[in-house]
Amino acid sequence: MTFTTIRALTSLFAMVRKSIHDIIAYNSNHNDFPVTPEATDQYVLKRLLYSVVWSFSGDSKYSFRRDMCKFIRRSTTVALPPDDGNDLIDYFISLPDAQWVPWKTKVPPMDLDVHRIAGPDVAVPTIDTVHHEDLLYPWL
């Protein structure tokens, strides 16, 4: 897909809007223990970095996304996940503590019967499907 500035900015604003929505939704569901102001600041900063990567390089080749993650890692003072070979895009930011958590922890375990594996109605969640669900949610 050809890069366009308007599409990148629209994506960025949609993802930032979702970040704000996530905090509001969390706080409304957890009146007793809302997100602290410090965690809100960290969550918004980390989500902004994550959103920049996906907005400006999400439809690019993997090597370009990886370069973008490396550039952000060199350019920011915001706490990032460990540099263990994974990129920013391999993590999500949790609430209420605003920590980087690997996407693989969001994939539910599946126990399928052998005869159901080939069925057309079976959707097996993977890191990619869980991750893409989060990326598509801002536009729904």
Side-chain angles (χ1 to χ4, degrees):
M1 196 179 291
T2 304
F3 177 84
T4 63
T5 305
I6 192 71
R7 189 180 72 239
L9 290 174
T10 301
S11 298
L12 178 64
F13 294 146
M15 294 180 80
V16 168
R17 190 172 46 250
K18 181 185 182 299
S19 300
I20 294 167
H21 175 268
D22 289 347
I23 292 171
I24 293 169
Y26 183 90
N27 285 343
S28 68
N29 290 326
H30 300 89
N31 291 327
D32 295 337
F33 300 102
V35 181
T36 65
E38 297 80 17
T40 299
D41 289 347
Q42 285 300 304
Y43 181 81
V44 170
L45 288 171
K46 291 174 182 180
R47 280 291 299 195
L48 181 61
L49 293 177
Y50 176 82
S51 299
V52 164
V53 171
W54 275 108
S55 299
F56 291 96
S57 64
D59 57 356
S60 302
K61 293 182 179 180
Y62 175 74
S63 61
F64 185 78
R65 280 196 312 267
R66 187 155 177 80
D67 290 344
M68 180 70 134
C69 291
K70 288 178 183 177
F71 171 76
I72 287 177
R73 192 174 285 283
R74 288 190 313 266
S75 304
T76 188
T77 58
V78 174
L80 298 176
D83 192 5
D84 58 1
N86 292 323
D87 296 320
L88 295 181
I89 57 177
D90 297 322
Y91 294 87
F92 69 94
I93 299 90
S94 65
L95 281 174
D97 55 355
Q99 296 298 313
W100 295 95
V101 179
W103 276 105
K104 63 184 174 186
T105 63
K106 289 269 241 186
V107 179
M110 290 289 293
D111 188 23
L112 293 174
D113 295 327
V114 175
H115 67 279
R116 291 196 57 216
I117 291 175
D121 61 336
V122 176
V124 178
T126 65
I127 293 173
D128 289 334
T129 58
V130 171
H131 189 217
H132 287 106
E133 180 181 318
D134 183 68
L135 290 171
L136 292 172
Y137 181 76
W139 288 277
L140 299 178

